């Protein structure tokens, strides 16, 4: 198509105006967030918020970033992807925040890929571990980063741990029928193949299911001695009760959807359930982590680690905010593109890991936490503890 | 064999929950030709209120009785203020909107105050399962179908042996005629809604030790129980209980022989097919009215 000189002039002028308006639209020193703050998993948003607010307090008390005080703009998405998109648009276009934090659910994060691209808004996930959140099918990911686990990296870890606990090496896969659970299947299958392990059965369950005996009977009949599990506390509780009904006790090696609440509801049945994660607030902590825990206890009136139901997610969120602050200092101004580029330069010693650098310019390494920081935790006496503080082995 | 036994036991357990909630729908529909769509949330109150009252230091039985009484009062209030004013005219459907709306509000309020997380409701009957070979069931779960059948039989006896019970049958048969005979149909209806609320809360209390007490525990159960009541023939209490128990077992068999993901698809398809074959419900009778 050829344009007349007049149309070419109009097009050039409109592009120039658009560019000028974009350049004049400096981002604000605010961190936006879309979390579940109401609904069935409202605690997940709260668990992230504890750490984010404490981290922002620390940064602001030390003078803020580039002379500005950081503020948090958190919106409720009720776990629904459509609301997460609405929130992202509000954060990017109305609040003009320089960066956005993600929440618990992988489908919500995946729904944000296009809006974030269109707005050029950096996003940092702190829990949602779906591989496709960061590794897009298009092969391009400019704006989405994560300070959390990644299912593609978690899967080999879980398979390895499950096989080590299955005397015959026969393991099964049991996962929730959601974007997160189903998205993990190819990763687990690939990890099992890579390790020369046979997945003797794969079973699913629906959210809010209360009886899993049918699936467990099939897993039992297939001879699975350990189960790689993708699900959350409520359904894990139902599974433990169903296992008790049919007297079938495979070792459960779970992705980190299971949090501390399982110990509260399942009690003794939770004994020995293993959960992958990045951090535990129990036991003896490094001084900095102890200070963070003390600050969260004071600010939010928490009794202690028992109130941190997503221990790894809370710790990840704390480190993520500090990585953002470091990157803003490197960027030198509240500019989203410069912030994104600065992420690749950040070096930071966090409570979860040493980030050196936090991110690299490959899609795979838009994940800051690498597998060497992954840990296994175990339920013991109703509490999720680091493995070496339990009778169930060492990391 | 063991697997089939397990599916039957598990099916009777969940079927017992469906039965108690569906029986409430049947009772309400019989007298009001309307239903309380908050009934799933009233079921939830049985578990959630018991846990909340126990947290205040009350013993479990006192907490449970109070929870059931509160749920019964809620049923009465819902009838008085959310159903009756919107059910004055023939074919009125305003009660659907009001009861659905208040149900959403109840769940939101519950989540805001009780919290989003399920909480345990300890029961000695939900600790050690009874095992039959490789199959097993918690004694707590066996209570549910038993209580459902007893509730249905008790309702039948009450309706045939007591003055107030006969008044319920009269209102169910012909509200206007019952009124002309001196029966206060509005009062009868309110009492039936209260009884249905109490029965729903009792079901919530009985199942909570197995599935945990949460503000969302009534969502799907309320919906399925209503559908079960429809395909059974909503005014036939015995039919509703029978259908609910059968549906629970069928669900578990579908899970066992097909898959969990097929459960609802096949279950709801089955409901539609049954309704096509029996428009008045399997145990329902065609209603004839003089015009």
């Amino acid at each position: 198509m050829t344009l007349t000189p007049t149309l070419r002039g109009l097009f050039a002028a409109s592009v120039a105006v658009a560019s000028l308006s974009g350049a004049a639209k400096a981002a604000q020193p605010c961190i936006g967030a879309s979390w579940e703050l109401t609904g069935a998993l409202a605690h997940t948003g709260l668990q992230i918020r504890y750490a984010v607010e404490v981290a922002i307090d620390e940064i602001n008390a030390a003078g803020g970033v580039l002379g500005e005080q950081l503020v948090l703009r958190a919106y409720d998405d009720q776990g629904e992807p459509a609301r997460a998109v609405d929130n992202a648009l509000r954060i990017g276009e109305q609040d003009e925040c320089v960066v956005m934090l993600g929440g618990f659910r992988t489908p919500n994060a995946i729904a944000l890929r296009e809006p974030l691209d269109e707005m050029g808004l950096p996003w940092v996930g702190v829990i949602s571990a779906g591989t496709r959140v960061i590794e897009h099918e298009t092969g391009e990911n400019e704006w989405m980063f994560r300070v959390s686990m990644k299912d593609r990296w978690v899967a080999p870890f879980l398979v390895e741990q499950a096989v080590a606990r299955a005397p015959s090496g026969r393991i099964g896969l049991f996962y929730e029928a959601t974007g997160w659970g189903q998205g993990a299947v190819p990763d687990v299958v690939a990890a099992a193949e890579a390790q020369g392990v046979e997945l003797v059965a794969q079973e699913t369950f629906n959210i809010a299911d209360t009886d899993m005996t049918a699936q467990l009977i099939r897993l039992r009949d297939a001879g699975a001695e350990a189960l790689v599990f993708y699900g959350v506390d409520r359904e894990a509780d139902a599974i433990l009760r169903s296992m008790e009904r049919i007297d079938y006790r495979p070792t459960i090696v779970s992705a980190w959807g299971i949090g501390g609440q399982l110990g509260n509801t399942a009690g003794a049945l939770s004994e020995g359930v293993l959960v992958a994660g990045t951090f535990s607030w129990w036991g003896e902590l490094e001084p900095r982590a102890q200070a963070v825990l003390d600050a969260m206890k004071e600010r939010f009136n928490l009794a202690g680690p028992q109130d941190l139901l997503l221990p790894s997610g809370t710790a990840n969120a704390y480190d993520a905010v500090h990585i953002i602050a470091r990157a803003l200092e490197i960027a030198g101004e509240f500019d989203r593109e410069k912030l994104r580029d600065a992420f690749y330069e950040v070096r930071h010693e966090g409570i979860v890991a040493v980030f050196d650098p936090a991110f690299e310019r490959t899609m795979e390494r838009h994940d800051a936490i690498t597998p060497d920081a992954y840990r296994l935790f175990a339920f013991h006496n109703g509490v999720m503890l680091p493995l070496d503080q339990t009778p169930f082995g060492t990391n | 064999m063991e697997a089939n036994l397990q599916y039957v036991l598990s099916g009777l357990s969940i079927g017992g929950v469906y039965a108690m909630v569906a029986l409430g729908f049947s009772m309400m529909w019989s007298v009001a030709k309307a239903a309380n769509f908050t009934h799933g949330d009233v079921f939830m109150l049985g578990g959630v209120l018991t846990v909340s009252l126990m947290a205040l230091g009350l013993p479990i039985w006192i907490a449970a009785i109070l929870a059931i009484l509160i749920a019964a009062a809620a049923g009465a209030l819902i009838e008085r203020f959310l159903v009756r004013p919107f059910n004055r005219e023939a074919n009125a459907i305003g009660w659907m909107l009001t009861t659905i709306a208040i149900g959403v509000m109840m769940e939101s309020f519950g989540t805001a105050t009780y919290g989003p997380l399920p909480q345990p409701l300890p029961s000695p009957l939900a600790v050690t399962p009874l095992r039959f070979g490789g199959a097993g069931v918690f004694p707590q779960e066996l209570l549910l179908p038993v209580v459902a059948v007893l509730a249905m039989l008790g309702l039948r006896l009450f309706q045939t042996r007591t003055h107030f019970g006969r008044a319920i049958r009269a209102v169910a048969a012909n509200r206007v005629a019952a009124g002309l005979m001196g029966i206060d149909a509005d009062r009868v209806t309110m009492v039936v809604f209260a009884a249905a609320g109490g029965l729903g809360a009792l079901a919530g209390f009985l199942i909570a030790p197995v599935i945990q007490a949460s503000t969302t525990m009534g969502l799907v159960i309320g919906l399925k129980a209503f559908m079960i009541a429809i395909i059974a023939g909503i005014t036939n209490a015995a039919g509703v209980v029978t259908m609910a128990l059968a549906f629970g077992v069928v669900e578990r068999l579908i899970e066992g022989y097909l898959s969990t993901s097929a459960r609802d698809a096949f279950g709801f398809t089955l409901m539609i097919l049954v309704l096509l074959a029996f428009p008045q419900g399997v145990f329902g009778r065609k209603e004839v009215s003089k015009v």
Side-chain angles (χ1 to χ4, degrees):
Chain A
M1 186 179 77
T2 55
L3 296 176
T4 64
T6 310
L7 281 176
R8 267 203 301 271
L10 281 172
F11 181 71
S14 63
V15 169
V17 168
S19 305
L20 278 173
S21 63
K25 205 173 172 182
Q28 300 301 309
C30 80
I31 297 176
S34 181
W35 297 326
E36 286 186 76
L37 298 171
T38 60
L41 292 176
H43 69 289
T44 61
L46 195 61
Q47 298 286 317
I48 301 170
R49 187 170 202 146
Y50 292 154
V52 169
E53 292 205 11
V54 163
I56 289 176
D57 284 352
E58 287 176 0
I59 292 161
N60 287 341
V65 174
L66 303 172
E68 300 274 1
Q69 297 281 290
L70 288 179
V71 294
L72 173 67
R73 298 255 187 271
Y75 298 108
D76 182 16
D77 61 31
Q78 298 178 357
E80 295 173 14
R83 287 181 193 268
V85 170
D86 285 346
N87 291 344
L89 295 175
R90 189 170 176 182
I91 288 163
E93 294 178 348
Q94 191 173 316
D95 298 336
E96 298 173 1
C97 289
V98 70
V99 67
M100 176 178 174
L101 287 173
F104 185 71
R105 296 199 192 230
T106 286
N108 288 22
I110 287 176
L112 294 178
R113 294 190 300 196
E114 282 186 23
L116 294 172
D117 265 349
E118 286 168 9
M119 292 186 288
L121 175 63
W123 177 93
V124 182
V126 296
I127 296 187
S128 48
T131 304
R132 297 288 170 227
V133 173
I134 297 299
E135 297 183 8
H136 300 181
E137 295 88 337
T138 58
E140 290 180 14
N141 172 15
E142 278 193 78
W143 300 100
M144 298 183 79
F145 299 83
R146 181 163 56 189
V147 183
S148 178
M149 301 178 94
K150 167 152 61 185
D151 281 340
R152 189 167 64 79
W153 289 344
V154 173
F157 180 74
L158 296 178
V159 169
E160 186 184 330
Q161 298 291 342
V163 170
R165 288 162 176 81
S168 68
R170 296 169 71 83
I171 64 170
L173 173 61
F174 204 6
Y175 60 96
E176 63 177 42
T178 63
W180 177 52
Q182 289 167 337
V185 175
D187 296 329
V188 175
V189 170
E193 280 176 9
Q195 295 180 36
V197 175
E198 183 193 2
L199 283 174
V200 296
Q202 296 182 31
E203 291 292 338
T204 65
F205 55 88
N206 298 322
I207 296 297
D209 277 358
T210 56
D211 188 324
M212 320 288 193
T213 44
Q215 300 97 311
L216 287 164
I217 285 171
R218 286 193 289 267
L219 286 160
R220 180 187 66 185
D221 292 348
E225 293 172 324
L227 302 179
V228 172
F229 178 77
Y230 284 79
V232 298
D233 302 64
R234 182 172 57 175
E235 286 73 31
D237 179 275
I239 284 167
L240 292 174
R241 286 176 200 283
S242 297
M243 284 165 51
E244 183 71 6
R245 281 188 191 101
I246 60 171
D247 198 19
Y248 169 51
R249 292 188 174 76
T251 303
I252 290 182
V253 183
S254 173
W256 65 339
I258 291 181
Q261 179 67 5
L262 182 65
N264 297 336
T265 56
L269 291 178
S270 67
E271 186 76 9
V273 172
L274 305 173
V275 184
T278 58
F279 193 83
S280 169
W281 299 92
W282 289 94
E284 198 168 318
L285 298 175
E286 295 291 326
R288 185 164 177 215
Q290 185 62 53
V292 176
L293 176 60
D294 291 342
M296 289 192 291
K297 282 165 64 176
E298 186 179 339
R299 173 150 187 180
F300 297 101
N301 198 26
L302 306 181
Q306 64 269 37
D307 286 339
L308 296 173
L309 301 174
L310 301 172
S312 300
T314 302
N316 295 349
Y318 176 81
D319 277 356
V321 174
H322 278 283
I323 288 171
I324 289 168
R326 291 287 174 96
L328 283 168
E329 296 283 2
I330 294 168
E333 58 183 298
F334 291 96
D335 180 287
R336 293 169 178 170
E337 201 166 323
K338 288 182 177 172
L339 170 64
R340 179 199 61 190
D341 292 340
F343 275 144
Y344 304 117
E345 311 300 325
V346 171
R347 280 164 175 73
H348 173 64
E349 191 167 334
I351 59 172
V352 171
V354 175
F355 302 96
D356 187 20
F359 304 103
E360 295 177 21
R361 290 181 186 275
T362 61
M363 196 163 62
E364 181 182 51
R365 272 287 279 118
H366 273 213
D367 273 294
I369 301 177
T370 49
D372 54 346
Y374 292 2
R375 298 281 179 273
L376 207 56
F377 302 89
F379 279 90
H380 181 47
N381 295 329
V383 175
M384 193 164 74
L385 295 167
L387 196 58
D388 49 15
Q389 294 179 31
T390 73
F392 303 107
T394 54
N395 272 303
Chain B
M1 183 61 196
E2 282 176 355
N4 286 334
L5 179 60
Q6 182 62 55
Y7 302 145
V8 171
L9 290 171
S10 294
L12 287 175
S13 167
I14 190 65
V17 179
Y18 294 152
M20 290 175 74
V21 178
L23 187 57
F25 278 120
S26 170
M27 292 161 64
M28 291 185 284
W29 187 272
S30 294
V31 293
K33 298 296 176 280
N36 169 13
F37 282 123
T38 68
H39 201 47
D41 298 290
V42 174
F43 159 81
M44 170 269 288
L45 288 179
V48 164
L49 280 179
T50 303
V51 170
S52 303
L53 292 167
M54 284 174 69
L56 297 176
L58 294 178
I60 185 167
W61 295 112
I62 303 290
I65 289 167
L66 276 176
I68 290 166
L69 289 175
I70 292 170
L77 290 172
I78 287 165
E79 189 283 328
R80 177 63 187 85
F81 296 108
L82 297 169
V83 175
R84 195 186 304 174
F86 302 95
N87 194 31
R88 289 291 185 202
E89 297 165 11
N91 303 321
I93 55 170
W95 51 268
M96 283 189 196
L97 189 150
T98 54
T99 57
I100 289 171
I102 202 73
V104 173
M105 288 161 66
M106 281 170 72
E107 194 185 316
S108 299
F109 180 76
T111 303
T113 52
Y114 177 82
L117 292 172
Q119 301 293 338
L121 178 54
S123 163
L125 300 179
V127 177
T128 307
L130 301 171
R131 294 219 177 88
F132 309 94
V137 65
F138 291 106
Q140 185 82 27
E141 297 177 276
L142 289 180
L143 277 179
L144 290 151
V146 172
V147 172
V149 170
L150 289 177
M152 183 264 291
L153 293 174
L155 180 69
R156 181 98 177 157
L157 278 176
F158 185 76
Q159 287 180 336
T160 52
R161 302 284 174 87
T162 68
H163 184 70
F164 194 84
R166 283 192 284 272
I168 292 173
R169 289 172 65 199
V171 172
N174 190 322
R175 191 178 185 86
V176 175
L180 292 173
M181 301 305 290
I183 295 171
D184 184 343
D186 284 345
R187 181 167 156 266
V188 167
T189 304
M190 191 162 74
V191 170
V192 169
F193 269 62
L199 187 62
L202 176 62
F205 163 68
L206 289 176
I207 195 63
V210 181
I211 67 169
Q212 315 301 315
S214 73
T215 53
T216 53
M217 65 190 272
L219 205 62
V220 175
I221 284 173
L223 175 69
K224 284 189 180 176
F226 183 68
M227 295 172 78
I228 287 166
I230 296 290
I231 61 167
I234 195 165
T235 54
N236 185 329
V240 164
V241 170
T242 306
M243 180 62 73
L245 295 174
F247 189 78
V249 174
V250 167
E251 273 197 334
R252 291 294 175 257
L253 288 170
I254 292 172
E255 282 184 351
Y257 286 100
L258 294 173
S259 72
T260 310
S261 50
R263 180 193 61 206
D264 288 341
F266 274 77
F268 288 138
T269 304
L270 194 63
M271 282 189 182
I272 292 167
L273 292 176
V274 169
L275 204 54
L276 276 172
F278 303 94
Q280 303 300 322
V282 174
F283 303 101
R285 283 180 306 179
K286 192 169 185 179
E287 289 186 16
V288 179
S289 56
K290 289 181 180 175
V291 292

